[in-house]
Amino acid sequence: MWDLKKSEATVESLREYLRDYAVDAYSTLEGMRLKAWFSDADRQLWGAVYLWDRADQMPGLYGVSRVVELIGYPPTSVGGFALEAIAEGKSVHEALAGLGVALEGGAP
């Protein structure tokens, strides 16, 4: 996660990065099951959560990521965790791909 207060990048400008590049680029990564980007525009926070098939595949993200150069510094908070469980509820959305403020073009 990044605290963007010291960056010229904003949540709004990073949404363009998602639309124009990142969503498609990350969708090609072997072993990455899911990447979900999140933000808090009021507090200018930006981050993502990944779900990988195996931990040894995680370095693949560095081959496509451009966000550090856009923001100007590495994440202000990083962590890795073991997945304990997943529950999928009943949703009106058949798939998660294509959802989100950046792709829908609106405000949260």
Side-chain angles (χ1 to χ4, degrees):
M1 184 173 76
W2 278 267
D3 181 337
L4 299 174
K5 291 180 189 84
K6 295 179 182 177
S7 177
E8 291 184 25
T10 64
V11 167
E12 294 77 12
S13 69
L14 291 170
R15 286 179 182 151
E16 293 177 31
Y17 164 70
L18 294 181
R19 282 191 299 271
D20 297 344
Y21 172 76
V23 171
D24 290 337
Y26 279 91
S27 296
T28 68
L29 289 180
E30 292 294 325
M32 189 190 80
R33 175 67 176 110
L34 173 94
K35 179 172 183 176
W37 288 268
F38 61 85
S39 69
D40 181 329
D42 291 337
R43 297 188 313 163
Q44 285 300 299
L45 298 174
W46 181 266
V49 174
Y50 297 84
L51 182 59
W52 294 91
D53 291 338
R54 297 187 328 262
D56 65 337
Q57 294 171 312
M58 294 181 339
L61 73 95
Y62 300 113
V64 297
S65 181
R66 295 182 183 166
V67 73
V68 172
E69 61 192 68
L70 293 173
I71 293 173
Y73 47 88
T76 49
S77 176
V78 176
F81 305 92
L83 178 66
E84 297 293 341
I86 293 177
E88 291 192 60
K90 298 176 183 177
S91 176
V92 298
H93 303 287
E94 188 172 313
L96 297 175
L99 298 179
V101 176
L103 300 177
E104 295 167 0

